[in-house]
Amino acid sequence: MQRIELTNQHPRMRREARTIEAMVLIYCHDKHGTRGETLCPSCQALADYAGLRLEKCPYQEGKTTCVNCPTHCYKPAMREEVRQVMRYAGPRMMLRHPYLALMHLLVDGRRKAPERARGARPKRQPETE
């Protein structure tokens, strides 16, 4: 597995990268039969994409979990793939990576959503008459 390398070495960002790596690894091992630190090509591409999006996150160490974020930076197809990986690997994280799982649930998941990044488009408000 090619590790996610970030230019921002803040502990919060490194932990976020390790969490997504661990989830993709669990998913790939169980669903695609890979072993060790090896990922299938599609799961490696997903991990690489997640790392790229994490690197370019406008909120960086102030970010919340992606599901609570006001800016969705994943393409819809990739977002659905990550959602499937997390749905499968999330419950298994407590047994295999308890520290990462607890930090993701208790610390990262409870952060308030950051303000929208400058230049981001606001959500459309429904028209009322």
Side-chain angles (χ1 to χ4, degrees), residues 1-2 4 9 11 23 27 40 42 50 57-58 63-64 67 76 82-83 85 87-88 92 97 103 105 109 111 117 125:
M1 171 179 194
Q2 185 178 345
I4 295 173
Q9 291 298 308
M23 287 183 162
Y27 181 84
C40 71
S42 65
C57 177
K63 76 185 287 307
T64 182
V67 73
V82 169
R83 190 176 287 142
V85 166
R87 191 175 297 133
Y88 179 83
R92 292 158 179 82
H97 302 279
M103 293 302 285
L105 288 173
R111 286 178 182 253
Q125 297 296 323

Side-chain angles (χ1 to χ4, degrees), residues 103-122:
M103 293 302 285
H104 186 71
L105 288 173
L106 298 178
V107 175
D108 304 336
R110 291 187 178 179
R111 286 178 182 253
K112 287 186 176 186
E115 295 294 319
R116 285 184 95 45
R118 256 186 256 153
R121 291 182 292 169

Side-chain angles (χ1 to χ4, degrees), residues 24-42:
V24 172
L25 200 61
I26 289 170
Y27 181 84
C28 194
H29 285 295
D30 293 357
K31 296 289 186 171
H32 303 140
T34 58
R35 296 289 168 242
E37 290 291 312
T38 308
L39 292 176
C40 71
S42 65

